[in-house]
């Protein structure tokens, strides 16, 4: 019996970013009854075990890590009590999806690492203790993880460049797309059109600039709205106040912020969006624009190596430097260029067909087998 540990704290209260990767991985594992005979997956949590039905599969052994405090500290959980618990767990390999490897962990480790953490450990927008943690435990992962998992070829190249990692220690495992079924819809604007942004609004993703572009385009498209689903990650937060000012200047509620939505509502938002923007300075992967493509919408992304790796020509790409003007040109094209929109939809099945959670888990299990 192969014993695999998975650090799962992020899924206790979130469904974005790493939490989504873990959720989809566990859900896909639960669909494979044959694994019950060969594998046990030990899932470790900080505070509680979330109520997802697929976690009841007998292949999963779930545990909340003990702490001697009433307040459940992530610091003590991740860097102290979890690795101490793992000393006695007898695992064949431990999967850390959270970019960091505890120094006192002993054993074979698989760590998901992205180039984002290199910048986060240097970012003045991060709290000093967060920067310190990323610096210590992210660099420790880069140097001492048994195997590192990157989520794109572009990210792997950046990890090699930034952390000086031997490329042979890095396995590329692309993420999957929620809905690989392509939904056909007209290339013209719907009766109630809107632009959609989904995800955590870090400054590098240029939501502020995109909202200002929307305000600029609003008179040109009088029925067009803008929907932001996610969390404001500016420091300090600015998006809600900007939305209020834009709506006041436009004279109606043209921009809406939804902190969270159900999966069904998110799928509906993707499906009916006229365009989905994800104009980022850098990403290791970036799921929302691929999910948009799978639902039949057109993504608006940054013109860079990652976008060509994932989309080829199946996206509207904003050239660098990213400015109000460059976003305006491409966003207007995404709303009006019916020929380009048609070409994107004609190639969507081929693009999203490369990305599935089944394939992601196949590659993950292959790395586990190699390590064991």
């Amino acid at each position: 019996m192969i014993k695999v540990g998975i650090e799962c704290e992020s899924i206790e209260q979130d469904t974005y970013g790493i939490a989504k990767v873990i959720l989809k991985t566990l859900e896909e594992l639960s669909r494979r009854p044959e694994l019950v005979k060969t594998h046990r997956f030990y899932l470790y949590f900080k505070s509680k075990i979330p109520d997802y039905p697929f976690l009841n599969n007998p292949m999963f052994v779930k545990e909340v890590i003990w702490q001697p405090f009433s307040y459940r500290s992530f610091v003590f959980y991740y860097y102290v009590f979890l690795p101490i618990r793992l000393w006695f767990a007898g695992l064949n390999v431990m999967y850390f999806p959270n970019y960091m490897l505890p120094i006192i962990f002993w054993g074979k480790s698989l760590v998901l690492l992205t180039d984002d953490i290199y910048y986060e450990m240097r970012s003045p927008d991060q709290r000093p203790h967060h920067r310190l943690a990323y610096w210590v435990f992210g660099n420790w992962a880069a140097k001492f993880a048994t195997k590192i998992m990157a989520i794109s070829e572009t990210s792997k190249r950046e990890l090699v460049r930034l952390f000086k990692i031997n490329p042979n220690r890095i396995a590329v495992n692309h993420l999957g797309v929620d809905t690989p079924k392509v939904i056909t819809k007209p290339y013209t604007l719907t009766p109630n059109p809107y632009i959609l942004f989904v995800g955590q609004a870090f400054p590098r993703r240029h939501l502020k600039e995109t909202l200002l572009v929307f305000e600029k385009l609003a008179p040109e498209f009088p029925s067009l709205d803008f929907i932001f689903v996610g969390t404001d990650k500016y420091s300090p937060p600015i998006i809600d106040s900007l939305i209020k000012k834009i709506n006041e200047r436009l004279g109606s509620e043209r921009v809406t912020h939804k902190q969270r939505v159900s999966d069904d509502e998110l799928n509906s938002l993707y499906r009916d969006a006229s365009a989905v923007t994800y104009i980022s300075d850098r990403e290791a992967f970036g799921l929302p624009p691929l999910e948009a493509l799978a639902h039949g919408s057109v993504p608006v992304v940054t013109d860079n190596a990652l976008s060509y790796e994932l989309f080829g020509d199946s996206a509207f790409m904003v050239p660098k430097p990213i400015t109000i003007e460059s976003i305006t040109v491409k966003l207007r094209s995404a709303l009006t260029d019916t020929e380009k929109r048609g070409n994107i939809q004609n190639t969507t099945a081929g693009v999203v067909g490369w990305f599935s959670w089944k394939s992601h888990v196949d590659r993950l299990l292959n790395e586990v087998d190699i390590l064991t």
Side-chain angles (χ1 to χ4, degrees):
M1 187 70 67
I2 297 174
K3 300 173 70 175
V4 182
I6 305 177
E7 194 283 306
C8 295
E9 178 273 339
S10 64
I11 72 170
E12 293 179 25
Q13 57 185 359
D14 206 352
T15 56
Y16 296 110
I18 289 301
K20 184 159 194 174
V21 175
I22 299 172
L23 280 172
K24 293 299 176 181
T25 296
L26 297 177
E27 191 173 12
E28 176 59 32
L29 287 171
S30 73
R31 296 192 181 104
R32 305 186 182 199
E34 70 279 5
L35 289 176
V36 175
K37 301 177 181 179
T38 57
H39 291 71
R40 285 293 180 273
F41 298 93
Y42 292 77
L43 313 183
Y44 297 101
F45 299 88
K46 174 176 69 71
S47 303
K48 63 180 180 180
I49 298 170
D51 185 22
Y52 292 106
F54 57 81
L55 291 181
N56 295 323
N57 192 298
M59 73 175 67
F60 297 135
V61 180
K62 305 174 288 293
E63 180 178 346
V64 176
I65 295 299
W66 173 85
Q67 293 190 43
F69 318 111
S70 58
Y71 171 71
R72 294 281 178 164
S73 163
F74 176 84
V75 171
F76 283 104
Y77 156 77
Y78 197 90
Y79 307 127
V80 180
F81 294 110
L82 173 60
I84 289 175
R85 175 66 184 90
L86 296 176
W87 293 349
F88 307 99
L91 302 177
N92 295 102
V93 61
M94 178 68 190
Y95 176 33
F96 292 95
N98 205 18
Y99 315 136
M100 298 176 289
L101 179 65
I103 290 175
I104 63 173
F105 170 78
W106 301 337
K108 292 181 179 179
S109 58
L110 174 65
V111 180
L112 191 155
L113 195 62
T114 74
D115 38 303
D116 290 338
I117 196 170
Y118 178 89
Y119 298 100
E120 294 300 327
M121 65 178 64
R122 292 164 171 78
S123 172
D125 294 329
Q126 283 288 349
R127 296 178 179 178
H129 62 283
H130 288 165
R131 291 203 303 269
L132 178 62
Y134 290 149
W135 185 280
V136 173
F137 300 101
N139 277 306
W140 192 262
K143 291 183 179 180
F144 296 108
T146 312
K147 198 66 177 284
I148 291 166
M149 191 168 76
I151 52 180
S152 66
E153 293 288 349
T154 303
S155 183
K156 176 179 177 176
R157 290 193 295 270
E158 283 297 286
L159 289 172
V160 170
R161 181 179 70 86
L162 296 171
F163 289 100
K164 313 302 179 189
I165 303 172
N166 183 332
N168 293 328
R169 289 182 55 226
I170 305 176
V172 174
N173 190 1
H174 289 110
L175 303 182
V177 179
D178 266 351
T179 310
K181 178 184 176 182
V182 179
I183 300 172
T184 303
K185 63 183 183 183
Y187 303 141
T188 55
L189 295 181
T190 60
N192 302 109
Y194 58 87
I195 299 164
L196 178 66
F197 177 101
V198 175
Q200 299 184 84
F202 293 103
R204 72 173 187 270
R205 290 174 181 159
H206 295 282
L207 177 58
K208 173 187 174 182
E209 292 84 354
T210 306
L211 287 170
L212 293 173
V213 167
F214 167 76
E215 181 181 12
K216 184 177 178 179
L217 292 174
E220 187 176 340
F221 301 92
S223 63
L224 185 68
D225 289 335
F226 193 109
I227 300 174
F228 161 40
V229 178
T231 306
D232 183 351
K233 289 293 185 177
Y234 285 79
S235 181
I238 63 168
I239 296 301
D240 282 343
S241 61
L242 178 60
I243 289 174
K244 182 179 179 181
K245 292 175 183 176
I246 289 174
N247 284 335
E248 287 175 352
R249 291 195 290 262
L250 294 177
S252 61
E253 299 293 314
R254 302 278 296 273
V255 185
T256 303
H257 178 196
K258 299 173 180 282
Q259 192 77 23
R260 291 177 179 275
V261 296
S262 67
D263 287 345
D264 288 343
E265 184 177 355
L266 181 59
N267 291 335
S268 177
L269 287 170
Y270 275 137
R271 183 179 63 248
D272 295 331
S274 301
V276 176
T277 69
Y278 206 75
I279 305 162
S280 181
D281 293 331
R282 65 178 188 280
E283 294 292 331
F285 193 85
L287 273 173
L290 270 175
E291 290 174 340
L293 194 65
H295 284 80
S297 295
V298 297
V300 182
V301 296
T302 305
D303 189 336
N304 58 21
L306 177 66
S307 293
Y308 283 103
E309 177 183 345
L310 301 184
F311 299 101
D313 293 324
S314 296
F316 289 88
M317 298 194 188
V318 179
K320 291 185 176 181
I322 297 171
T323 63
I324 297 290
E325 289 72 24
S326 62
I327 297 174
T328 300
V329 170
K330 286 300 176 179
L331 195 50
R332 181 185 285 114
S333 294
L335 295 170
T336 60
D337 189 340
T338 56
E339 181 178 358
K340 173 72 171 177
R341 291 174 65 95
N343 290 338
I344 288 173
Q345 192 162 55
N346 289 337
T347 59
T348 293
V351 173
V352 300
W354 284 101
F355 305 101
S356 73
W357 290 111
K358 179 182 182 302
S359 297
H360 178 81
V361 170
D362 286 343
R363 292 186 290 265
L364 177 64
L365 291 174
N366 181 64
E367 292 304 319
V368 168
D369 289 343
I370 291 172
L371 290 174
T372 55

